[in-house]
Amino acid sequence: MKTLTLHLLLTLAAVQAQGAPPHTVAVLSRAQGVYMEAFSAFQAAYGAEIPHYDLSRSRPSLPPGVRTVVAFGGKAAAWRYPAHVNVVYAMAPGLIIPPRGSARAVAVKVSLIPAMPRVLSRIKEIQPGLKRLTIFWTAPRYDALAQRAKADGAALGMTVTLRRVEGSEKLPGLLRGEMGEMDAFWLPPDPLLVTQDNLRTLREFSWGNGIPFYGATRGITREGAVASIGVTFRGVGETAAGLVRRLEAGETLPAVVHPGAEELTLNATAARHCGISIPGRLAGGAALLFP
């Protein structure tokens, strides 16, 4: 009798758990490609199947009881969620969600770049003689990052100059103005600056003048940067899972978290044009080496 009663209780508990509303859901700008890659890594690291919504197909309708939304992609991150819900968002370059409308809820961003001291250190490994680095960006949300990079660079014996590009038509003039004033330049994953036309301008200037440039994604490396120091989509998903677990444990989190794992990609042709000799140990450890 006791065994039967225990079995019934366990069965009832399982049924209730299956029917219980989820505390965490995911919203994807599009449920395919890199967004799905990051979400799949999130689920694996979180250790449970999480309901998800495809924003390209329908509006998310959050069930009662949801405490945290994990958003993958700019459109998903920018969606207007209830003020009492935590938002952990990723793959939304240039976007910072303002503080939530409730003291009980927070918004935490998973950055697409490692912490800047690490980025600058890696660039110095590739180009040891680097003393003067210029950062170009457009999106206002990168203002604070660029300012912090000045102090991070100084700690490495590097002078970091900041040049905000307020329009694509001004980019050639800004590049010419930095001639003789920079040993290299770096671009954040800024969708307003990193366009196909601008990348062509940057590549032609860099290769034509032997001034290396660096980025934060493998796409920038493919288009002509000597190297990019970024993060993988798997790493983004795993970091998001860790943040949700920390929220569930009641931890206080910063507004932006940089994934610990990084991805180095290199471009051999760009390096030759800029007179850079890539150390063998870096080439061997790179995730990708474009010819």
Side-chain angles (χ1 to χ4, degrees), residues 26-57:
V27 179
L28 286 66
S29 292
R30 184 177 295 276
Q32 57 184 261
V34 295
Y35 303 123
M36 183 57 75
E37 181 181 344
F39 171 60
S40 297
F42 166 81
Q43 282 200 125
Y46 187 73
E49 186 174 352
I50 301 296
H52 72 278
Y53 299 88
D54 182 346
L55 196 55
S56 70
R57 293 178 176 272

Side-chain angles (χ1 to χ4, degrees), residues 126-128 183 210 212 214 226 267-268 270-279:
I126 298 166
Q127 191 177 345
D183 303 318
Y214 301 92
V226 168
N267 186 316
R272 286 195 297 273
H273 277 287
C274 297
I276 297 292
S277 179
I278 298 174

